[in-house]
Amino acid sequence: MTPSDTETRILEAAAELIAERGYTGTTTSAIAEAAGVNEVTLFRRFDNKAGILQALAVVAAASRGEFPPPDAVVPDDLRSTLRNLAVIEIQDAIASGGLVLRLTLEARSASEVQDAMSEIATSNLERMASFLRARQADGQLRPGIDARLLAEAFFGLTSTLVMQRSTLAEPDLPEEDDIEKLAGQIVDMLWSGVSPERGT
């Protein structure tokens, strides 16, 4: 179900405030004010702040769509496919960086944040692991390595790298022109350990 204009304004305001102040530091009154609605409207639409967070997670999952997306898959060229997926993951992490970074940092201390983040991360991880497991089965990837571990390594070198660079502020986040190069280097590192030529 697509959010209404009012719901969209509330979610956009919430995302911006949470990225700036964190989940626990953002009040429903501040979200309502930033969205140009009263707090009663916010509660009618989302029940509470946890409801807003859950809606943000649903919208994020819907906007991301299927992962790996079919249009990123290059037939008979897994290395190029992995490079395409790395580009997508880095771009997504940069686009949603502030919000995701704040929520990741708060996940341990706020159970509703942990629930929302866990749902998204587990879904992405399982889909990527399933894709990699299928590539192992058809001989395009080295067998004998746990596919979930491979998926974790992929995300660790893409989106988690962006979050780490965001927290350190140096080196800077890659510009659009540099993302392809960074993705290529990441895949080269992964490929050296997982290509079928490496054996078991």
Side-chain angles (χ1 to χ4, degrees):
M1 186 165 87
T2 306
S4 68
D5 287 344
T6 300
E7 289 166 347
T8 298
R9 284 202 327 270
I10 292 168
L11 292 175
E12 286 174 352
E16 188 173 320
L17 288 171
I18 292 169
E20 180 186 317
R21 304 176 185 178
Y23 178 76
T24 55
T26 300
T27 63
T28 53
S29 61
I31 295 170
E33 183 181 339
V37 301
N38 62 47
E39 219 172 341
V40 173
T41 299
L42 183 147
F43 290 135
R44 271 198 210 117
R45 303 289 175 132
F46 298 102
D47 292 331
N48 52 32
K49 190 165 69 166
I52 294 171
L53 181 62
Q54 195 59 45
L56 281 171
V58 168
V59 169
S63 67
R64 180 184 182 102
E66 185 180 355
F67 193 85
D71 60 354
V73 177
V74 180
D76 302 321
D77 189 352
L78 181 58
R79 198 168 183 169
S80 292
T81 296
L82 290 173
R83 191 176 306 112
N84 291 344
L85 296 177
V87 167
I88 291 168
E89 191 61 25
I90 292 166
Q91 289 172 332
D92 284 354
I94 291 170
S96 63
L99 177 62
V100 172
L101 179 60
R102 278 289 194 155
L103 291 174
T104 301
L105 293 173
E106 288 186 86
R108 286 282 187 195
S109 59
S111 61
E112 58 266 35
V113 174
Q114 186 173 36
D115 291 345
M117 293 297 288
S118 176
E119 189 175 315
I120 294 170
T122 301
S123 175
N124 291 343
L125 192 59
E126 290 304 328
R127 285 197 302 262
M128 188 65 177
S130 178
F131 172 77
L132 295 171
R133 196 174 292 114
R135 302 296 68 80
Q136 286 176 313
D138 63 21
Q140 294 185 66
L141 278 181
R142 179 181 166 192
I145 302 174
D146 183 89
R148 187 180 169 98
L149 180 61
L150 288 176
E152 288 174 326
F154 173 84
F155 289 121
L157 290 169
T158 53
S159 50
T160 305
L161 172 71
V162 170
M163 287 194 283
Q164 178 180 316
R165 287 188 177 189
S166 295
T167 58
L168 298 176
E170 275 195 81
D172 292 332
L173 292 176
E175 298 291 332
E176 191 66 34
D177 296 343
D178 297 327
I179 291 175
E180 290 270 353
K181 181 179 177 184
L182 179 61
Q185 290 174 339
I186 285 169
V187 170
D188 286 347
M189 285 190 297
L190 272 173
W191 194 255
S192 67
V194 300
S195 67
E197 290 80 21
R198 296 283 301 176
T200 54

